[in-house]
Each structure stands twice: as structure tokens, then as C-alpha cells.
Amino acid sequence: MNNVNLIGRLTKDVDLRYTSNGVAVANFSIAVNRPFSNQQGNNDADFFNCVVWRRIAENTANYCKKGSQVGISGRLQSRSFDGQDGKKVYITEVVAENVQFLDTRNGNDNNKQKEQNKSDLQNNQSNSSNENGEPVDIDNDDLPF
């Protein structure tokens, strides 16, 4: 049995190309968090190269970008080729048969808006004053976002 299910975030924008026969093929990689913490208390991630074909490839390229969260189901596939130095190169990748877009359509736009609001507030901190005209010290921990 060869079945893979992953949930992760795209590490870069999807690379969409077409074969000489006009079949769409997209390549991308996703970062998947490990379910445990390392000795420093941080969660490490594993990175997986993925390939998807036809209409799913076009949809993935059109609706997902770096940072988008996706769910992938498919299979592992290994292939090899001779590298430029003459050595055999082995590649294992996930051939996705289904890609679920887990972010809301406006999710990334909302995140950008939140970051912009936070940036605006931080830039205005030096110009903030109370009723007496004295500067007000606002800590980032006090921000609601």
C-alpha cells in the first residue's frame, strides 16, 4: 500500500508548467510540522517535494501561494536521473492526487491587513500622546492582535 496524507504550508509559490502535449504539471514543496518539540522547545518541520497533474495542478497554482495551508493525499514516487556531474540522482516526491485548500479565500488578505495594522500602530507609537501631550508607552503585548 502506498498512501500519503499531509497537511502543511507551501514553502514557495507553485511552479506551473505544461508538457509538450499540453498537460499541466505543478511542482511545489510543503513544510509539515512534527508533532513533538525538540530540546529547545521548538517544533521542527519536515519538507516534502510534491507534484500534481492536470486540472488540479492549474487550480493549485491559481489559488495557492507561498504560506498557503494545504492538505494533500497521494502516493510516494521515486525516480532517478543522471546529474550534470554524471552521478545518478535519486528523488522521492509526493505525487498528489488530491489537494485541499485549507486557507479561507481571504485568509491571507486578512493576515496582511492585520500585519499592516500592527505596523501602522507601531509607527504611530512615537506620535501617540495622552491628554497632556506626553508620550504614551504602548507595549506590543498590550496589542489585541
Side-chain angles (χ1 to χ4, degrees):
M1 182 183 318
N2 185 353
N3 190 19
V4 174
N5 294 302
L6 300 169
I7 294 177
R9 294 197 178 272
L10 271 65
T11 61
K12 59 184 176 182
D13 289 338
V14 177
D15 179 25
L16 177 65
R17 292 173 290 153
Y18 291 88
T19 66
S20 58
N21 295 333
V23 178
V25 58
N27 295 87
F28 56 93
S29 62
I30 62 171
V32 178
N33 287 333
R34 292 183 179 171
F36 51 86
S37 300
N38 62 20
Q39 291 178 346
Q40 290 76 31
N42 300 324
N43 282 13
D44 289 330
D46 292 302
F47 299 86
F48 299 98
N49 292 325
C50 303
V51 62
V52 63
W53 294 86
R54 297 179 179 73
R55 186 68 182 156
I56 299 172
E58 292 174 327
N59 287 339
T60 303
N62 288 333
Y63 295 105
C64 296
K65 60 185 177 227
K66 180 180 178 177
S68 295
Q69 188 176 37
V70 294
I72 295 174
S73 60
R75 59 186 167 81
L76 283 179
Q77 179 174 293
S78 296
R79 59 187 171 93
S80 63
F81 61 91
D82 292 327
Q84 293 178 348
D85 58 359
K87 294 182 180 179
K88 193 168 271 291
V89 177
Y90 294 93
I91 294 178
T92 301
E93 58 195 356
V94 176
V95 179
E97 296 163 0
N98 187 15
V99 178
Q100 295 290 318
F101 310 143
L102 301 178
D103 283 333
T104 60
R105 183 167 228 191
N106 295 327
N108 288 335
D109 293 338
N110 288 341
N111 288 339
K112 287 180 186 174
Q113 185 62 41
K114 285 180 182 177
E115 288 299 318
Q116 182 62 41
N117 289 344
K118 184 176 180 180
S119 176
D120 289 346
L121 184 58
Q122 288 172 344
N123 290 337
N124 290 334
Q125 282 180 357
S126 61
N127 297 332
S128 298
S129 60
N130 63 13
E131 295 171 358
N132 299 330
E134 298 172 2
V136 177
D137 185 25
I138 300 174
D139 189 8
N140 284 341
D141 294 333
D142 295 333
L143 298 175
F145 47 86

